[in-house]
Tab-separated table of all heavy atoms in Angstrom:
chain	number	residue	atom	x	y	z
A	183	GLU	N	103.289	69.306	83.869
A	183	GLU	CA	102.955	70.365	84.781
A	183	GLU	C	102.697	69.827	86.213
A	183	GLU	O	102.914	70.518	87.180
A	183	GLU	CB	101.744	71.140	84.275
A	183	GLU	CG	101.970	71.992	83.023
A	183	GLU	CD	102.809	73.215	83.248
A	183	GLU	OE1	103.251	73.456	84.420
A	183	GLU	OE2	103.001	74.013	82.307
A	203	PRO	N	117.208	67.122	84.671
A	203	PRO	CA	116.667	67.457	83.336
A	203	PRO	C	117.625	67.052	82.212
A	203	PRO	O	118.864	67.014	82.429
A	203	PRO	CB	116.460	68.942	83.411
A	203	PRO	CG	116.441	69.315	84.849
A	203	PRO	CD	117.303	68.325	85.514
A	219	PRO	N	112.075	65.997	80.750
A	219	PRO	CA	111.852	67.350	80.152
A	219	PRO	C	112.444	68.474	81.013
A	219	PRO	O	112.793	68.279	82.212
A	219	PRO	CB	110.320	67.438	80.089
A	219	PRO	CG	109.823	66.021	80.206
A	219	PRO	CD	110.798	65.341	81.073
A	220	TYR	N	112.570	69.618	80.362
A	220	TYR	CA	113.094	70.826	81.045
A	220	TYR	C	112.293	72.017	80.530
A	220	TYR	O	111.944	72.074	79.345
A	220	TYR	CB	114.579	70.990	80.690
A	220	TYR	CG	115.220	72.196	81.315
A	220	TYR	CD1	115.477	72.273	82.684
A	220	TYR	CD2	115.621	73.289	80.541
A	220	TYR	CE1	116.080	73.340	83.220
A	220	TYR	CE2	116.225	74.407	81.058
A	220	TYR	CZ	116.473	74.425	82.441
A	220	TYR	OH	117.113	75.515	83.001
A	221	LYS	N	112.022	72.969	81.408
A	221	LYS	CA	111.205	74.106	80.988
A	221	LYS	C	112.080	75.354	80.761
A	221	LYS	O	112.864	75.696	81.619
A	221	LYS	CB	110.138	74.396	82.038
A	221	LYS	CG	109.039	75.349	81.505
A	221	LYS	CD	107.889	75.466	82.574
A	221	LYS	CE	106.745	76.270	81.964
A	221	LYS	NZ	105.642	76.431	82.970
A	222	VAL	N	111.901	75.973	79.598
A	222	VAL	CA	112.572	77.248	79.298
A	222	VAL	C	111.450	78.228	78.964
A	222	VAL	O	110.687	78.005	77.994
A	222	VAL	CB	113.549	77.105	78.093
A	222	VAL	CG1	114.102	78.422	77.715
A	222	VAL	CG2	114.651	76.136	78.424
A	223	ALA	N	111.433	79.347	79.724
A	223	ALA	CA	110.341	80.338	79.560
A	223	ALA	C	109.004	79.582	79.606
A	223	ALA	O	108.747	78.921	80.622
A	223	ALA	CB	110.518	81.121	78.225
A	224	SER	N	108.160	79.683	78.598
A	224	SER	CA	106.840	79.040	78.660
A	224	SER	C	106.873	77.730	77.808
A	224	SER	O	105.801	77.215	77.448
A	224	SER	CB	105.757	79.950	78.109
A	224	SER	OG	106.059	80.327	76.798
A	225	TYR	N	108.034	77.144	77.529
A	225	TYR	CA	108.160	76.003	76.666
A	225	TYR	C	108.774	74.798	77.424
A	225	TYR	O	109.787	74.932	78.110
A	225	TYR	CB	109.071	76.304	75.457
A	225	TYR	CG	108.601	77.466	74.658
A	225	TYR	CD1	109.134	78.733	74.891
A	225	TYR	CD2	107.607	77.332	73.672
A	225	TYR	CE1	108.691	79.853	74.198
A	225	TYR	CE2	107.191	78.468	72.926
A	225	TYR	CZ	107.708	79.677	73.204
A	225	TYR	OH	107.296	80.797	72.488
A	226	TRP	N	108.106	73.628	77.278
A	226	TRP	CA	108.673	72.398	77.792
A	226	TRP	C	109.464	71.698	76.697
A	226	TRP	O	108.905	71.430	75.634
A	226	TRP	CB	107.568	71.528	78.303
A	226	TRP	CG	107.091	71.815	79.657
A	226	TRP	CD1	105.959	72.518	80.031
A	226	TRP	CD2	107.725	71.473	80.932
A	226	TRP	NE1	105.857	72.601	81.390
A	226	TRP	CE2	106.913	71.967	81.933
A	226	TRP	CE3	108.897	70.803	81.197
A	226	TRP	CZ2	107.265	71.787	83.269
A	226	TRP	CZ3	109.255	70.619	82.526
A	226	TRP	CH2	108.443	71.128	83.566
A	227	LEU	N	110.713	71.368	76.926
A	227	LEU	CA	111.555	70.650	75.993
A	227	LEU	C	111.391	69.152	76.311
A	227	LEU	O	111.712	68.742	77.446
A	227	LEU	CB	113.008	71.037	76.171
A	227	LEU	CG	113.476	72.381	75.607
A	227	LEU	CD1	112.560	73.533	76.035
A	227	LEU	CD2	114.906	72.678	75.988
A	245	GLU	N	102.820	75.979	77.079
A	245	GLU	CA	102.012	75.714	78.251
A	245	GLU	C	100.554	75.310	77.880
A	245	GLU	O	99.853	74.778	78.725
A	245	GLU	CB	102.020	76.900	79.207
A	245	GLU	CG	103.404	77.105	79.836
A	245	GLU	CD	103.474	78.422	80.593
A	245	GLU	OE1	102.781	79.363	80.152
A	245	GLU	OE2	104.179	78.480	81.625
A	295	SER	N	115.807	83.333	79.522
A	295	SER	CA	114.906	82.936	80.652
A	295	SER	C	115.805	82.353	81.761
A	295	SER	O	116.323	81.233	81.661
A	295	SER	CB	113.938	81.863	80.205
A	295	SER	OG	113.159	81.393	81.279
A	298	ASP	N	118.986	81.024	80.519
A	298	ASP	CA	118.822	80.122	79.346
A	298	ASP	C	118.494	80.967	78.127
A	298	ASP	O	117.428	81.521	77.982
A	298	ASP	CB	117.693	79.119	79.600
A	298	ASP	CG	118.063	78.053	80.606
A	298	ASP	OD1	119.213	77.587	80.577
A	298	ASP	OD2	117.182	77.674	81.410
Side-chain angles (χ1 to χ4, degrees):
E183 291 286 3
Y220 180 71
K221 194 173 187 180
V222 175
S224 60
Y225 304 94
W226 278 101
L227 284 51
E245 292 170 327
S295 174
D298 287 320

